[in-house]
């Protein structure tokens, strides 16, 4: 009975990894649409978000089924509750990708990102996509070392976000209010994708070790609130 339970539990985490891969594709597509002004790609990202939502529902249904039918012991209960939190974070990352795609679609036939801001926005997108891509392996392998290393990527994202603010607040900003609003929102969306990725990674660390990374410390003494 317990072997069957743990096989079902592993299946839940395989599904989480699959959702992470779907989100990575969404982030990539949204960024491509944003930097190219391609309305077709933007529409594809927006429409495919429904599949991420359905995948989230399947994970939730399976997790609740295990909770109600298998009466998991304390350690397994912690894992299931963490899985429910993680799938919510992943689904939200998909939503944020849709927000990026909608900005791209709104500005077609123009491109939302001014040429001189493209390097910063492009790098933010690369960092976000890389973090989401790493999540799938971290979830399947329970890779604590790589999960903790997410702090470095998140720090780079924070630096890039501050850089966009500096450009927007520069008195010589030449692109007008509309572009300023777009860049402010895009910076926030990519930053939040990274934040959610860190949160998912932290929950993996907690599942494996009972502890969670915190701030710039390697592993904190404070357990994540489950």
């Amino acid at each position: 009975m317990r072997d069957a339970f743990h096989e079902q539990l592993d299946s839940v985490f395989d599904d989480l990894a699959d959702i992470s891969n779907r989100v990575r594709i969404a982030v990539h597509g949204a960024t491509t649409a944003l930097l190219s002004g391609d309305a077709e790609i933007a529409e594809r990202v927006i429409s495919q978000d429904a599949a991420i939502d359905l995948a989230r529902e399947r994970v939730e249904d399976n997790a609740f089924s295990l909770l109600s039918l298998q009466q998991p012991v304390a350690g397994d209960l912690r894992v299931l509750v963490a899985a429910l939190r993680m799938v919510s974070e992943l689904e939200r990352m998909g939503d944020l990708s849709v927000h990026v795609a909608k900005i791209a679609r709104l500005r077609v036939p123009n491109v939302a990102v001014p040429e001189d801001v493209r390097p910063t926005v492009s790098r933010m997108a690369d960092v976000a996509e890389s973090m989401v891509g790493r999540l799938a392996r971290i979830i399947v392998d329970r890779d604590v070392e790589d999960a903790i290393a997410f702090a470095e990527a998140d720090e780079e994202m924070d630096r890039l976000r501050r850089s966009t603010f500096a450009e927007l607040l520069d008195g010589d900003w030449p692109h007008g209010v509309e572009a300023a609003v777009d860049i402010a929102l895009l910076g926030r969306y990519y930053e939040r994708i990274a934040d959610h990725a860190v949160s998912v990674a932290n929950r993996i660390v907690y599942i494996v070790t009972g502890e969670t990374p915190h701030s710039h410390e390697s592993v904190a003494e404070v357990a994540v609130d489950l």
Side-chain angles (χ1 to χ4, degrees):
M1 180 68 75
R2 300 308 297 173
D3 287 345
F5 171 80
H6 284 104
E7 286 180 7
Q8 290 174 289
L9 192 58
D10 286 342
S11 178
V12 168
F13 276 78
D14 288 341
D15 289 341
L16 288 172
D18 177 68
I19 295 172
S20 180
N21 282 324
R22 290 173 183 266
V23 172
R24 183 196 61 77
I25 292 169
V27 173
H28 179 79
T31 301
T32 300
L34 180 72
L35 297 179
S36 66
D38 191 316
E40 182 178 346
I41 295 175
E43 291 288 357
R44 190 181 310 143
V45 172
I46 294 165
S47 64
Q48 289 177 348
D49 188 56
I52 294 175
D53 293 341
L54 287 173
R56 182 212 70 210
E57 292 174 8
R58 286 195 297 270
V59 168
E60 290 176 342
D61 288 345
N62 290 337
F64 283 128
S65 177
L66 288 173
L67 284 169
S68 62
L69 299 177
Q70 300 291 345
Q71 298 180 333
V73 297
D76 293 333
L77 179 62
R78 181 181 71 193
V79 173
L80 279 171
V81 174
L84 287 168
R85 295 289 182 86
M86 285 190 283
V87 76
S88 178
E89 303 263 16
L90 290 167
E91 190 263 346
R92 181 59 184 146
M93 292 156 72
D95 290 342
L96 289 161
S97 301
V98 168
H99 293 335
V100 173
K102 285 182 176 179
I103 288 180
R105 183 180 64 179
L106 181 65
R107 301 305 172 206
V108 171
N110 298 316
V111 175
V113 181
E115 190 65 31
D116 55 330
V117 188
R118 283 176 67 95
T120 302
V121 173
S122 180
R123 182 56 190 164
M124 292 183 82
D126 287 345
V127 172
E129 183 181 345
S130 174
M131 292 176 75
V132 178
R134 288 163 60 187
L135 274 184
R137 184 175 59 80
I138 288 171
I139 290 169
V140 171
D141 296 342
R142 312 291 202 275
D143 190 334
V144 171
E145 183 176 349
D146 195 21
I148 292 173
F150 260 39
E152 297 176 6
D154 193 45
E155 288 173 2
E156 181 179 3
M157 182 66 81
D158 290 342
R159 289 195 299 271
L160 291 164
R161 174 74 165 138
R162 289 193 295 271
S163 176
T164 63
F165 270 123
E167 291 183 72
L168 292 174
L169 295 174
D170 190 326
D172 295 328
W173 174 260
H175 305 295
V177 173
E178 187 176 86
V181 171
D182 286 346
I183 297 304
L185 289 173
L186 289 167
R188 180 59 174 165
Y189 296 154
Y190 284 121
E191 181 187 44
R192 289 301 296 151
I193 289 171
D195 288 344
H196 285 298
V198 169
S199 182
V200 172
N202 285 353
R203 293 187 191 282
I204 290 295
V205 175
Y206 183 59
I207 287 170
V208 175
T209 69
E211 301 175 326
T212 185
H214 181 68
S215 187
H216 299 292
E217 300 169 2
S218 57
V219 179
E221 298 297 327
V222 181
V224 68
D225 179 16
L226 292 175

